[in-house]
Amino acid sequence: MVDVDRYLLKPWEPPEEKLYPVIDELLAAWQATGEIARTEIRVVGHRWSQRSFAIRDFLASNAVPYRWYSADDPEGIRLLAAADAGPDAVPLLLTPDGTALANPSLTEVAAKVGLHTVPQGDFYDDVIIIGGGPAGLGAAVYAASEGLHTVLIERQATGGQAGQSSRIENYLGFPDGVSGGQLTERARRQADKFGAEVLTARQVTGLEVRGPKRVVHFHNGSEIAARTIILATGVAYRQLPATGVDDLVGRGVYYGSASTVAAACVGQHVVIVGGANSAGQAAVFFARHAAKVTLAVRGPSLDRGMSRYLVEQVRALDNLEVRTSTTVTDCQGEFHLECLTLHDENTGMDEVVQASHVFIFIGAAPMTNGCPRASVATTPDSC
Ligand SMILES: Cc1cc2nc3c(=O)[nH]c(=O)nc-3n(C[C@H](O)[C@H](O)[C@H](O)COP(=O)(O)OP(=O)(O)OC[C@H]3O[C@@H](n4cnc5c(N)ncnc54)[C@H](O)[C@@H]3O)c2cc1C
């Protein structure tokens, strides 16, 4: 038996250029995760609870290892009793130092698991970047590498949408593809190396011009300022116009991919909604876990919105059914998703199918207002 974390084929000469930097990079990545990997965070919650899902998703998207316990299983019941936690305390987060956080906010979770949530100062000489997706991380790397005093603010997890991708095949410099997690981790380390500060689990809710300062307001009422703000807030997912869907979000219905629930999809029927690359990637990913995957595509063919390499992967999978000219019109379930209605645009027929999970990838609209739920205040320029 061997335990292989990474391996590499011996690269060409000279080793100073081809071998040592690769090993340095692997060691640095291992060192960076070592501290977190030694800790053991435990989450006790309900499988179909939105709050429990939000915490698991947050930890997973920030690459924080944790153990999950169902509040209905004997070990979950034992942990709740040991922490003297009642039903209102679920989800419960238990940290290695013995702290029990009852139904915590994401900012509390972030601070407890060692993520950086509090800015080092209240004024940054140069730049504040809002949004930690590829665009924001790229801006942080280039700003900090030019010596600018830089802070990046991310409300959920760095990596943004790209961080959710199981395999990105078209990113420059990665001919064999790269997972969103790997890409994010590298970009974060690169930003860190140049001295950019990265805050996680902090939502920006307002912007203000105050004299020469550009002020950013946080959801908890605090603020920081800089001379320049870069908005890299990405997109907001388009909502599926199906009845019953809103009540089941986080309980079988997910916008975007949710790798944390992949294990729960084993042996189940999973529906993916959408006809572009992210839907295709998710369909291929979940086909490895679920008994059956249905890809519901509104358009008449896959070729319109999906890259050819992905169409080929989708078509090669036996447990993946593609239904074109099909929309999801209704989602039903008492405590979680149980079935949904597929409407065939060609025949006009509806079909109710049993499904435990639906993942929605029907596009997104740019957050061109900068910050959602933001009150964008402007005060007169006093200088
Ligand atoms: C599953 C999936 C697979 C994909 N695969 C590919 C692929 O293979 N190839 C490809 O080219 N593209 C792919 N994409 C698309 C690609 O990921 C996006 O184009 C890219 O992530 C956009 O980067 P961005 O930084 O502009 O925005 P985003 O990635 O959307 O990042 C924006 C960030 O800003 C944060 N934010 C927003 N508002 C606030 C606020 N008020 N305060 C603090 N933070 C805030 C968000 O939380 C988010 O992290 C995929 C997308 C998905 C979802």
Side-chain angles (χ1 to χ4, degrees):
M1 288 280 275
V2 288
D3 187 2
V4 180
D5 288 323
R6 309 265 167 114
Y7 74 93
L8 54 113
L9 299 175
K10 190 181 172 196
W12 292 99
E13 301 280 323
E16 294 77 11
E17 205 178 292
K18 305 285 186 195
L19 179 62
Y20 302 159
V22 182
I23 291 179
D24 278 349
E25 195 184 332
L26 292 176
L27 287 173
W30 174 69
Q31 271 179 332
T33 57
E35 193 59 39
I36 293 174
R38 276 197 296 277
T39 65
E40 186 174 289
I41 312 283
R42 288 173 293 178
V43 181
V44 188
H46 293 292
R47 181 179 167 200
W48 296 114
S49 137
Q50 290 173 337
R51 286 286 307 142
S52 299
F53 169 71
I55 290 177
R56 294 176 72 185
D57 192 47
F58 177 78
L59 291 172
S61 50
N62 279 290
V64 177
Y66 69 93
R67 271 182 206 275
W68 162 254
Y69 298 88
S70 167
D72 304 320
D73 288 345
E75 187 56 14
I77 294 169
R78 190 190 70 75
L79 288 170
L80 288 174
D84 202 16
D88 291 347
V90 178
L92 183 78
L93 186 99
L94 297 160
T95 62
D97 65 5
T99 309
L101 291 183
N103 199 3
S105 70
L106 294 187
T107 310
E108 287 171 321
V109 173
K112 205 65 207 166
V113 301
L115 295 171
H116 184 45
T117 56
V118 181
Q120 283 167 4
D122 54 10
F123 183 72
Y124 289 78
D125 297 323
D126 299 306
V127 60
I128 295 173
I129 299 157
I130 306 173
L137 284 168
V141 167
Y142 294 113
S145 66
E146 288 303 315
L148 301 182
H149 188 198
T150 305
V151 62
L152 180 149
I153 305 163
E154 166 56 48
R155 65 179 172 177
Q156 171 83 4
T158 45
Q161 299 169 68
Q164 298 175 17
S165 175
S166 49
R167 195 119 207 112
I168 299 170
E169 306 268 3
N170 60 346
Y171 204 88
L172 187 69
F174 292 93
D176 302 320
V178 60
S179 75
Q182 281 173 318
L183 188 69
T184 303
E185 194 267 330
R186 284 165 186 240
R188 258 200 84 129
R189 270 196 294 126
Q190 207 171 5
D192 194 48
K193 178 178 98 173
F194 289 118
E197 192 182 331
V198 177
L199 303 179
T200 312
R202 296 302 301 263
Q203 167 133 8
V204 171
T205 52
L207 308 175
E208 181 190 344
V209 176
R210 195 183 293 158
K213 289 184 182 175
R214 303 296 179 255
V215 182
V216 159
H217 295 269
F218 290 112
H219 58 300
N220 65 352
S222 62
E223 60 179 52
I224 58 173
R227 283 186 225 286
T228 309
I229 293 173
I230 295 178
L231 296 174
T233 46
V235 294
Y237 288 116
R238 281 205 188 97
Q239 305 294 295
L240 185 72
T243 50
V245 72
D246 292 345
D247 289 342
L248 293 167
V249 172
R251 298 189 292 130
V253 173
Y254 305 90
Y255 282 94
S257 197
S259 52
T260 39
V261 294
C265 296
V266 172
Q268 305 289 323
H269 178 208
V270 166
V271 176
I272 311 285
V273 187
N277 280 355
S278 30
Q281 281 185 5
V284 171
F285 174 77
F286 282 104
R288 294 204 290 268
H289 299 271
K292 180 184 172 188
V293 172
T294 300
L295 181 58
V297 184
R298 190 176 57 174
S301 97
L302 270 190
D303 306 291
R304 276 190 172 182
M306 205 177 283
S307 299
R308 188 182 305 168
Y309 77 90
L310 210 46
V311 174
E312 285 165 9
Q313 288 180 20
V314 165
R315 290 200 174 126
L317 289 164
D318 291 337
N319 65 338
L320 204 169
E321 176 198 29
V322 180
R323 290 175 72 149
T324 52
S325 304
T326 300
T327 52
V328 174
T329 53
D330 182 55
C331 293
Q332 291 300 327
E334 196 175 350
F335 300 110
H336 57 86
L337 179 73
E338 290 167 29
C339 59
L340 46 83
T341 304
L342 296 176
H343 176 75
D344 187 318
E345 301 284 345
N346 290 331
T347 63
M349 301 285 281
D350 285 341
E351 185 186 351
V352 178
V353 296
Q354 308 290 316
S356 61
H357 296 79
V358 58
F359 299 93
I360 303 163
F361 299 86
I362 52 172
M367 285 194 199
T368 43
N369 64 346
C371 301
R373 288 179 256 146
S375 59
V376 181
T378 332
T379 53
D381 206 316
S382 56
C383 294

